Amino acid sequence: MDFTQFQGIGAKKDKLLHKMGLHSLEDVWLDFPVRYVDRRKVMTIAECNDEMPVVIEATVLNVKKKAMKFKRSQMVICEVQSHMYHGEIIFFTSYVFNKLIVGNAYYFFGKLTRQGIFFKMQHPEFSEASDRRFLRIQPIYRLTAGLTQIDMLKLHEGALMRLDSSHTGPLPPFVEHMARVVDRVAAIRQMHFPTDEKGLKVARYRFIYEELFMLQLKLVLLKRHYHSSETHLLPSTRDIDDFIAQLPFELTEGQRKAVEAIRTDLVSGYAMNRLIQGDVGSGKTIVALIAMRIAANNGSQSVLMAPTTVLAEQHFQSLKEYFGETYKAVLLTSNMTAKTKREIKESIAEGHIQMIVGTQAIIQEDVDFKNLALVITDEQHRFGVRQRFFATQKGMHPHTLVMSATPIPRTLSMILYGDMNVSQIKEMPVGRKPIKTHFVSEKKKAALYGFVDDSIEAGRQAYFVCPLVETNEQLDLTSVEALYEALAARFSNRQIGVIHGRMKADEKDDVMHRFKDGELDILVSTTVIEVGVNVPNATVMVIVDAERFGLSQLHQLRGRVGRGAEQAYCFMMSSKMSKDAKKRIETMINTNDGFQIAEMDLAMRGPGEMFGLRQHGLPELRVADLVKHQKTLEVVQEHIRTLMSEYVMGNKEVVKYFDALGEMLNEEAVL
Ligand SMILES: Nc1ncnc2c1ncn2[C@@H]1O[C@H](COP(=O)(O)OP(=O)(O)OP(=O)(O)O)[C@@H](O)[C@H]1O
């Protein structure tokens, strides 16, 4: 929109407004004040103290201009009278000179200092005392260089003049009614020019509700399977119990409960929609494999999708270890030849294969299934917002299970997984010792290297992780290349491998395998190993330039060690630390608890950044705060559940609204 049609806004200011992200009338309506100042009450001078800005009424006795020292412009000194008090009002600009007329009364708003019957005010806002509009709750807007509050005020006043009752927002009337929120037009007006505290509160509530509702509903529509399952599975209790009994370890309490919940879900006749949330190394894989076993025992197909090839291979290897040749299982990844892929796909389509493990990308591409009953996504710390398309595209409604290693705070889990049942695996397998975490300064490097050498001598392996692939002169950070050279010189009798994201998939796999098989003693890497790699024999993690990593990332990296019975160590090195980086490193040293770390991360970075909500095309929150407005979020979720059941019952209004919104989301997400 061209804002030059608003009074007082020229081409230059119009450009600045667009730069601020204001492009349409709606943008301006929703550009709410960052705060307000209360100018409703006119104070007598006697009531004023020095602290707070106040509104007073005074009559001008005299106005004069005066040259300012060291400046070309002039200042204006205005003598005023307010009852028995005599005041001097100073402006450091001359344009007000003509606006203050001797003998007239004005409202002045500013900080006032008083001495006896004399008072002073510097650079107040003012208006003629006949203008009652001055006495209101005044909005203060965000600005950018080149724009003033007055410009913003004019803009908003202009925009509100163009707002009439024909305007509708994203909430249809039946939702507004259920939510008991005020009308959107009234709420917008109140947000900018509130009549009183109550009016503002009610308006704010409307927008908090609206934002949370839209965010939650969009997420639900993106992920929801409305339909009941087409595959009614039998529990195969005997086989599963026997299988669990012969495992080399006892399932932890969390694992057992998750398995129980899955067994119940799978036989319920409704599509399972469950999230398994467990900290790094808590043993989610075996839970997923048990679910696949139940499907296979029913003669149905299941898939396990991983975000990377390395992880898919790892899962496939675990599957083989646990199940041997009992089931027909395949691995499907992008680095296979076209011919192999084609053959595998054919046998999947014909129903010869029961279990499929692969990367998400390739499985979603074009695999046809004969009778798919279960889809498991290992999304680690990504979020499977787009997962729904996979299943619905194929016209199937299988059971779904999502595994996530990000322990997310409760509020966020409510939003991101609001539609799912959640199983948490809180405890670690028995015998795991908490990882010992230390900060290592440059001076102590030699000692650290000595420790690494001793660990290797004792048969263990070590990771070294740093932020860059190649040396970059501008960034004074350690690169994989430089680190490899330094380590190769220091550990000349050890086998060292390198892995980073720019390598080809098969090169990466090769290095990873050699590390897993114990051929390599040290693995130098970027954060590519962050995601889910499982090498229980590796017990030392050294993170170089630790200040460069976020808290959740550090926790993920640390989680690559401590996956076996041996004591594991994590060392964080850094030479230059900001205050924030120091706090992150201290948090890591103080706790191994993923949930606590996630809470800290959220507090330090905020949810948008932490979860990239916007990258998923989800609405930005202007007024609502996922942490502060948890109660409202609960209300919203209750309402959405109600609407969901009405949808299923065929309530026309709801069906029409949801389907239209769902379609819009589909289009956005497919792009
Ligand atoms: N109950 C248990 N007792 C002992 N060891 C277990 C138990 N459950 C799993 N393990 C072992 O713990 C290791 C980690 O398990 P797994 O790879 O499933 O963890 P994860 O939860 O997927 O972790 P990440 O999110 O880091 O990938 C594996 O070597 C696995 O065999």
Side-chain angles (χ1 to χ4, degrees), residues 1 92 133 136 240 273 382 396 427 431:
M1 166 162 198
F92 300 103
R133 281 199 331 153
R136 66 182 174 190
I240 298 300
N273 199 14
R382 291 150 209 243
M396 288 176 286
E427 65 283 77

Side-chain angles (χ1 to χ4, degrees), residues 584-649:
R584 289 199 291 271
I585 289 176
E586 272 167 13
T587 307
M588 287 290 291
I589 293 172
N590 292 334
T591 182
N592 266 303
D593 180 338
F595 280 91
Q596 218 174 319
I597 287 175
E599 293 278 359
M600 276 296 283
D601 205 14
L602 180 65
M604 287 174 80
R605 289 199 294 164
E609 178 126 1
M610 189 166 165
F611 291 97
L613 286 183
R614 269 209 270 173
Q615 284 167 23
H616 287 307
L618 293 169
E620 185 185 359
L621 302 178
R622 297 163 195 266
V623 192
D625 180 316
L626 293 180
V627 181
K628 275 194 222 143
H629 303 133
Q630 224 180 97
K631 279 242 163 65
T632 312
L633 181 56
E634 280 168 30
V635 173
V636 162
Q637 290 185 324
E638 183 56 45
H639 289 172
I640 289 178
R641 270 194 292 276
T642 307
L643 292 174
M644 275 299 169
S645 49
E646 292 196 17
Y647 179 94
V648 176
M649 316 259 285

Side-chain angles (χ1 to χ4, degrees), residues 115-284:
Q115 222 174 26
I117 60 157
F118 294 102
F119 68 90
K120 274 191 180 176
M121 249 186 178
Q122 285 193 355
H123 217 86
E125 287 171 47
F126 66 96
S127 132
E128 286 184 23
S130 54
D131 180 12
R132 303 293 296 177
R133 281 199 331 153
F134 188 80
L135 305 181
R136 66 182 174 190
I137 300 177
Q138 178 78 356
I140 308 288
Y141 294 100
R142 69 192 171 102
L143 294 177
T144 189
L147 289 172
T148 64
Q149 283 302 333
I150 294 178
D151 296 328
M152 293 309 275
L153 213 58
K154 283 192 179 144
L155 173 77
H156 281 100
E157 279 170 346
L160 288 183
M161 267 163 33
R162 291 163 172 81
L163 174 67
D164 60 39
S165 55
S166 67
H167 166 79
T168 54
L171 298 184
F174 64 89
V175 175
E176 286 183 337
H177 183 73
M178 178 164 68
R180 298 203 203 154
V181 289
V182 283
D183 163 68
R184 197 172 202 248
V185 172
I188 292 176
R189 292 193 192 285
Q190 280 293 319
M191 287 299 283
H192 292 278
F193 299 103
T195 41
D196 52 25
E197 282 86 355
K198 183 152 180 283
L200 180 60
K201 201 171 153 196
V202 169
R204 281 182 78 85
Y205 180 77
R206 189 218 145 87
F207 285 104
I208 293 167
Y209 184 97
E210 180 182 307
E211 288 179 358
L212 293 176
F213 183 90
M214 291 320 292
L215 177 64
Q216 184 69 82
L217 182 61
K218 284 182 178 184
L219 272 163
V220 168
L221 290 179
L222 277 170
K223 299 203 292 183
R224 179 91 188 177
H225 308 279
Y226 298 111
H227 307 267
S228 58
S229 178
E230 290 166 359
T231 39
H232 194 125
L233 299 182
L234 297 171
S236 70
T237 316
R238 267 292 284 286
D239 172 76
I240 298 300
D241 288 347
D242 290 348
F243 172 73
I244 292 173
Q246 59 76 50
L247 284 173
F249 46 74
E250 288 240 348
L251 293 185
T252 61
E253 173 83 8
Q255 284 172 318
R256 259 193 327 101
K257 284 199 174 144
V259 168
E260 270 325 303
I262 290 169
R263 285 166 114 172
T264 314
D265 288 351
L266 290 179
V267 301
S268 71
Y270 291 97
M272 172 171 74
N273 199 14
R274 182 167 292 278
L275 168 72
I276 304 280
Q277 202 184 55
D279 207 345
V280 279
S282 59
K284 296 180 286 292

Side-chain angles (χ1 to χ4, degrees), residues 38-44 47 54-56 135-136:
D38 191 350
R39 289 197 318 216
R40 280 173 300 174
K41 187 164 182 265
V42 182
M43 309 276 267
T44 64
E47 287 172 321
V54 288
V55 182
I56 57 158
L135 305 181
R136 66 182 174 190

Side-chain angles (χ1 to χ4, degrees), residues 380-507:
Q380 294 293 333
H381 55 298
R382 291 150 209 243
F383 294 94
V385 169
R386 297 192 178 174
Q387 192 198 326
R388 188 173 73 100
F389 305 113
F390 168 62
T392 47
Q393 261 165 28
K394 312 241 180 285
M396 288 176 286
H397 310 290
H399 298 281
T400 58
L401 188 64
V402 177
M403 296 197 280
S404 165
T406 313
I408 45 179
R410 203 179 96 83
T411 28
L412 275 163
S413 136
M414 277 169 68
I415 266 281
L416 290 165
Y417 296 112
D419 60 323
M420 297 188 117
N421 299 311
V422 180
S423 294
Q424 280 186 345
I425 306 181
K426 282 215 160 150
E427 65 283 77
M428 287 290 165
V430 256
R432 292 278 172 80
K433 302 184 181 84
I435 302 164
K436 293 193 171 153
T437 305
H438 301 279
F439 175 73
V440 179
S441 64
E442 196 61 30
K443 273 191 284 180
K444 296 263 177 68
K445 199 155 96 179
L448 169 64
Y449 284 4
F451 181 87
V452 172
D453 215 23
D454 292 347
S455 302
I456 297 173
E457 199 54 46
R460 307 277 89 80
Q461 291 160 283
Y463 294 101
F464 275 78
V465 177
C466 62
L468 295 183
V469 179
E470 291 163 5
T471 307
N472 178 329
E473 308 259 298
Q474 275 139 27
L475 292 170
D476 186 17
L477 292 172
T478 311
S479 67
V480 170
E481 284 172 356
L483 187 59
Y484 173 77
E485 287 188 2
L487 294 176
R490 168 63 181 78
F491 298 94
S492 52
N493 57 340
R494 304 294 182 197
Q495 298 302 314
I496 308 179
V498 172
I499 189 167
H500 58 74
R502 294 223 203 120
M503 283 160 65
K504 289 213 191 85
D506 50 347
E507 291 170 356

Side-chain angles (χ1 to χ4, degrees), residues 282-294:
S282 59
K284 296 180 286 292
T285 316
I286 186 69
V287 175
L289 292 178
I290 291 173
M292 293 177 90
R293 193 170 172 113
I294 298 175

Side-chain angles (χ1 to χ4, degrees), residues 306-319:
T308 64
T309 305
V310 172
L311 265 186
E313 286 175 353
Q314 193 173 287
H315 287 324
F316 187 65
Q317 202 185 335
S318 304
L319 187 149

Side-chain angles (χ1 to χ4, degrees), residues 12-60:
K12 216 160 123 196
K13 288 181 179 169
D14 177 67
K15 217 167 151 190
L16 290 171
L17 290 170
H18 284 281
K19 226 175 84 191
M20 286 175 80
L22 303 176
H23 306 290
S24 64
L25 268 179
E26 170 97 9
D27 289 341
V28 180
W29 292 331
L30 299 183
D31 178 47
F32 298 136
V34 286
R35 59 191 178 85
Y36 304 87
V37 291
D38 191 350
R39 289 197 318 216
R40 280 173 300 174
K41 187 164 182 265
V42 182
M43 309 276 267
T44 64
I45 307 294
E47 287 172 321
C48 298
N49 61 34
D50 297 353
E51 303 295 316
M52 299 290 289
V54 288
V55 182
I56 57 158
E57 186 178 338
T59 306
V60 174

